[in-house]
Amino acid sequence: MGNNGWVTRPASARAPRLDQVCAAAVEVARAGITEVDPADVGEHLQVVAEGDRLVTHYFECRLAGYRGWRWAVTVTRVPRSRLVTLCETVLLPGPDALLAPGWVPWQERLKPGDLGPGDLLPTPPDDERLAPGYVLSDDPAVEDTAWELGLGRARVLSREGRSDAAQRWHDGDHGPSAAISVAAPAAARCGTCGFYLPLAGALRQSFGACGNFYAPDDGRVVSADHGCGAHSETLIEAAETPVDELPTVYDDSAVEAVSVSRAPGSVEAAEPGEPYGHP
């Protein structure tokens, strides 16, 4: 058998030709917009060929709140007929249309701090951040509790859950990159602070709670390499400032001169000095 080549030919990529009869039916297309008042239909913007004898007319939309939107009216006709009929009418956004933001599932919209008093946030049964309490979690502190019959929690943090929490805490406002930590002395790190309360389990190596009443992170989880100016070993040495010595001033007006007679047996000036250097 010889080579017969392709059995089918590829479809032509030729652009559809604009049908002049349908393109001229501007008023027919405008009359097809019956959902709104005629005043809400503005100028004719353009005409686009959709296929053979199939054309879409675009009109300006003047409805309040629909800036940049356009009315799209598609018309057509049968072969060898000059009667144009309507196919559909729809309101579409233009290139500069004012659009609402795309819909995002609530699980992705929820941010830390959005949960308020009275709000409920159910956790999915297949949440990868959690693992059953009876499964080894490779965290000794968790295992000690989980394996106690009747005392273990139903679910505990999985390795993925602890990793996500650790990364979030380290990159947040209580990690080493926080502004207060960057401005603190290099040696003032939470891991060496007396007010630092290490967490239990695998997170103990890198995180703890701040117990300093005067620190801005009091009661919050901080990383061991976080820091602030309230470190327990922070000492401020007062700079020595020289004291200017002022000249001695005597107030003669408050001094009363009194003559004192020499007592009997006083040492005369002409006599030799006494022992111990007294005159």
Side-chain angles (χ1 to χ4, degrees):
M1 296 180 63
N3 185 4
N4 294 329
W6 294 99
V7 177
T8 59
R9 294 181 180 179
S12 175
R14 178 180 61 87
R17 186 180 61 179
L18 182 64
D19 185 84
Q20 297 301 321
V21 176
C22 292
V26 176
E27 297 304 322
V28 175
R30 183 187 295 272
I33 307 175
T34 59
E35 295 86 353
V36 295
D37 189 88
D40 295 327
V41 182
E43 299 179 358
H44 184 263
L45 300 177
Q46 66 177 133
V47 58
V48 177
E50 306 289 355
D52 293 339
R53 295 177 299 279
L54 188 64
V55 169
T56 298
H57 292 268
Y58 290 92
F59 298 89
E60 177 189 6
C61 177
R62 294 179 178 175
L63 287 173
Y66 286 85
R67 179 178 61 83
W69 287 65
R70 305 180 299 178
W71 293 103
V73 183
T74 303
V75 297
T76 186
R77 68 182 180 92
V78 298
R80 294 186 298 276
S81 174
R82 303 189 68 84
L83 178 63
V84 177
T85 58
L86 296 173
C87 293
E88 63 176 356
T89 302
V90 66
L91 183 61
L92 298 176
D96 57 344
L98 181 63
L99 300 176
W103 183 83
V104 180
W106 71 268
Q107 296 93 334
E108 301 178 15
R109 297 197 306 266
L110 195 63
K111 300 299 181 182
D114 289 347
L115 195 67
D119 295 337
L120 298 178
L121 181 61
T123 304
D126 57 348
D127 196 325
E128 63 178 9
R129 300 172 301 171
L130 298 173
Y134 57 81
V135 177
L136 289 178
S137 62
D138 67 34
D139 189 335
V142 173
E143 293 167 9
D144 292 343
T145 303
W147 281 101
E148 295 180 10
L149 184 60
L151 298 179
R153 292 171 288 173
R155 289 190 291 178
V156 295
L157 273 177
S158 63
R159 178 179 298 179
E160 290 78 6
R162 291 197 308 274
S163 177
D164 291 345
Q167 190 66 46
R168 184 172 63 253
W169 293 345
H170 191 269
D171 297 340
D173 295 337
H174 311 294
S177 59
I180 191 171
S181 180
V182 174
R189 301 297 100 182
C190 293
T192 59
C193 181
F195 299 104
Y196 180 73
L197 305 172
L199 296 183
L203 295 177
R204 180 185 182 91
Q205 300 177 358
S206 302
F207 297 96
C210 176
N212 189 346
F213 174 77
Y214 297 102
D217 297 314
D218 179 41
R220 296 179 174 89
V221 174
V222 294
S223 64
D225 51 358
H226 182 66
C228 72
H231 193 279
S232 62
E233 308 308 317
T234 299
L235 299 177
I236 302 178
E237 297 182 358
E240 296 183 359
T241 56
V243 179
D244 296 334
E245 185 176 354
L246 300 177
T248 305
V249 178
Y250 297 96
D251 187 2
D252 295 340
S253 62
V255 178
E256 181 180 357
V258 178
S259 59
V260 178
S261 60
R262 182 173 297 177
S266 297
V267 180
E268 297 293 342
E271 295 180 3
E274 297 180 354
Y276 307 106
H278 294 290

